[in-house]
Amino acid sequence: MSGEAMLSIRGLWGGYHKAAPVIRDLTMDLPRGQVTALLGPNGCGKSTLLRLCARLLEPAAGEVLLDGRPLAAIPRKELARLVSVLPQGRPVSAMPVYTLVSHGRFPYLGYPRRMGREDREKVEEALALTDTARYRHRSVAELSGGQRQKVYFAMALAQDTPLVLLDEPATYLDLRHQLELMELIRLLQSRGKTVAAVLHDLPQALEWADRVAVLEDGKIADQGPPAEVFDRGTLDRVFGLASHRLTVEGKERYFFTKAGGAV
């Protein structure tokens, strides 16, 4: 049921090696079937939080529950069928696009990783939805940054998990392709997926997400429906901005300027 927590984070602490924790006593939920935008200044812990939620990092304290099950208790292969991740950056692969997108099906394959009809259909669907089928035979290394980002998104789509974690998915994309990406995220939601995405474009996040969670110094500064978080002034305080909301063609639009500046 939409609104119930699919992922529950309780008293989470975590970071990298022996450095000071980046995430500090953080508690929040990702409601099932909703798109949650993670917002906050650089260095506040957004990417670290996603890595902890995907078990790419182990927490120092606290826990993450997926459908009520401790993340640490879920076998890795099963977890890969439940959670897919589009990381912020990764080494550029020289393999063909089709091969890379096919890697999204690996959690479902046994040895020797031969795809069946359903796997091939999932790959073709992901290529079509992201408009990357035309690149299928090209090396990923030959593509532009924006094209590569769409190919990696296609791989996450092919993985077909109920929870999708996206770390700055709009990186390298121009405005038109950013809007196409937001439409893809909404398509995922329409298929019952739960999505958490780190976004830097505040107006896009407020206009497209069902919920926003604002991070500050490794903790949750505010969370809730976008309009409510906006009205509380949390974004202005955390980012040092002045916010404005206008009604354009019957829809609310958000604008941000430097504090004291004009729209």
Side-chain angles (χ1 to χ4, degrees):
M1 181 183 299
S2 179
E4 295 179 352
M6 179 170 195
L7 193 79
S8 298
I9 304 165
R10 297 290 177 263
L12 192 65
W13 292 74
Y16 302 89
H17 306 298
K18 296 182 180 179
V22 178
I23 297 298
R24 301 183 296 128
D25 197 22
L26 186 147
T27 293
M28 67 174 291
D29 291 331
L30 294 183
R32 186 184 308 278
Q34 294 192 13
V35 177
T36 299
L38 302 179
L39 310 177
N42 292 338
C44 70
K46 302 182 298 295
S47 296
T48 304
L49 177 59
L50 281 194
R51 290 175 65 83
L52 288 163
C53 291
R55 207 177 160 195
L56 298 174
L57 290 174
E58 296 295 337
E63 64 179 350
V64 180
L65 303 173
L66 182 61
D67 273 333
R69 299 171 61 191
L71 209 64
I74 302 176
R76 292 284 185 179
K77 188 167 184 177
E78 181 184 355
L79 186 62
R81 297 179 182 180
L82 298 172
V83 183
S84 55
V85 186
L86 179 64
Q88 183 177 354
R90 65 176 78 202
V92 178
S93 171
M95 69 178 61
V97 165
Y98 184 89
T99 302
L100 180 65
V101 176
S102 298
H103 282 190
R105 300 305 300 167
F106 279 9
Y108 303 90
L109 306 180
Y111 183 81
R113 286 184 172 174
R114 290 179 180 169
M115 292 198 302
R117 183 178 68 179
E118 181 180 359
D119 301 304
R120 291 190 293 272
E121 289 175 351
K122 293 289 185 183
V123 171
E124 291 295 343
E125 181 183 41
L127 290 168
L129 288 173
T130 56
D131 192 28
T132 54
R134 51 186 161 161
Y135 309 134
R136 67 171 63 238
H137 300 302
R138 292 182 61 183
S139 166
V140 176
E142 296 175 358
L143 304 179
S144 69
Q147 291 168 340
R148 285 198 298 270
Q149 191 73 349
K150 291 174 73 174
V151 169
Y152 287 124
F153 193 88
M155 182 172 65
L157 283 176
Q159 198 170 337
D160 194 26
T161 59
L163 176 61
V164 182
L165 306 177
L166 306 172
D167 193 357
E168 299 188 33
T171 301
Y172 305 118
L173 298 181
D174 59 31
L175 182 57
R176 180 173 71 86
H177 289 100
Q178 288 179 33
L179 294 175
E180 289 177 356
L181 177 73
M182 300 309 294
E183 290 172 353
L184 282 173
I185 291 174
R186 279 298 188 189
L187 177 63
L188 287 175
Q189 182 196 30
S190 73
R191 296 184 175 192
K193 312 295 187 185
T194 301
V195 182
V198 173
L199 298 174
H200 279 297
D201 190 311
L202 298 182
Q204 279 186 6
L206 292 170
E207 291 166 18
W208 285 86
D210 299 301
R211 292 178 60 84
V212 297
V214 185
L215 274 71
E216 182 180 27
D217 296 328
K219 298 182 178 181
I220 296 293
D222 200 353
Q223 59 183 315
E228 294 181 11
V229 173
F230 178 87
D231 288 340
R232 287 193 285 268
T234 306
L235 294 169
D236 288 8
R237 181 184 64 76
V238 170
F239 285 93
L241 297 172
S243 59
H244 314 271
R245 179 168 53 196
L246 301 175
T247 301
V248 180
E249 296 181 350
K251 294 188 67 175
E252 289 188 332
R253 302 295 185 186
Y254 299 89
F255 303 87
F256 293 84
T257 61
K258 288 183 178 181
V263 179

